[in-house]
Amino acid sequence: MSQAIETARSEQVADLLVSLVRAEGSAGHAYPQATELTAGPEAMRNLADAAHYLCVLHGRFPGVIDHAAKKTGHPAARGWLSAAAEAFAAERALLTRLAVATGPLPSTPGQAECEAAVLQQSHALDMLAQSDRAGCALGAAFALALDWQAVRAVLEAAARRASIAPGDCALPGEEETRTVAMIVAETPSFERAMSFGAQQLLAQHRGLWDLLEARQQARAKV
């Protein structure tokens, strides 16, 4: 009976992680799917904006997944983190190429405030990924890998505009991530920390999309 209860609890944790990403992640935000971002005469500037600021958040090494690999000792997570870190290195390289190929950061009212806000987000992600609270960094890494699918769609749109072949994304998928999350969720405190890490990373992504949308609207008024 206790084993069945433990299995059901672990499944609920994994389901919660996936549900969080779907509800609170990039796929649930309007701007990544907005026509203004990927089509029309201002699309290249809008995509350049996204590429540059995504590069500020995730273009540096070590990143969220790399930090999580140092903070996580659970053997079941080691393989996932190793594969995810290697895959995200390729995503980081793509981000850098796109930031160059799409052109300079478009001039936008309130530029200094925007840069300060994104740097603050980057600092928040660093703190999250280096948290000593067991499970927090891993939850952030899980959320990043799962949310990246929606982010990747924007990067691929920018790559098409810049005539760059983006290659396939090799980050672990939903099923693999869900399975590992079930295995590592051994205690309620670890589960809570993992959920917190995931929620906080998704909040930073949504905050970035809010900022990019506001910047696009500000440029449209000029």
Side-chain angles (χ1 to χ4, degrees), residues 8-185:
R9 182 179 58 77
S10 298
E11 288 178 350
Q12 288 176 352
V13 172
D15 289 342
L16 174 61
L17 179 66
V18 172
S19 297
L20 277 173
V21 173
R22 290 176 181 172
E24 301 181 17
S26 298
H29 197 287
Y31 191 59
Q33 288 80 41
T35 302
E36 293 84 356
L37 179 60
T38 57
E42 295 300 314
M44 195 62 169
R45 296 179 76 206
N46 297 334
L47 287 167
D49 211 31
H52 278 277
Y53 279 132
L54 281 166
C55 204
V56 173
L57 283 196
H58 295 298
R60 293 180 297 113
F61 176 84
V64 170
I65 295 172
D66 308 296
H67 285 307
K70 294 180 180 179
K71 289 289 182 181
T72 304
H74 199 296
R78 301 303 301 173
W80 187 98
L81 285 164
S82 177
E86 182 177 351
F88 204 81
E91 297 302 299
R92 190 181 297 118
L94 174 61
L95 266 178
T96 302
R97 289 178 66 197
L98 290 174
V100 173
T102 53
L105 193 67
S107 177
T108 307
Q111 186 67 39
E113 292 83 353
C114 292
E115 290 180 1
V118 176
L119 287 174
Q120 187 174 17
Q121 285 188 306
S122 178
H123 178 68
L125 286 180
D126 283 343
M127 295 294 290
L128 182 68
Q130 297 178 72
S131 171
D132 289 329
R133 184 181 177 189
C136 184
L138 183 59
F142 283 158
L144 175 57
L146 293 175
D147 199 47
W148 199 255
Q149 181 178 356
V151 176
R152 195 37 148 78
V154 175
L155 300 186
E156 290 175 358
R160 287 193 295 272
R161 286 270 178 168
S163 299
I164 288 175
D168 295 330
C169 179
L171 282 167
E174 180 179 304
E175 191 58 36
E176 182 179 353
T177 303
R178 187 180 181 281
T179 298
V180 175
M182 287 175 57
I183 295 172
V184 301

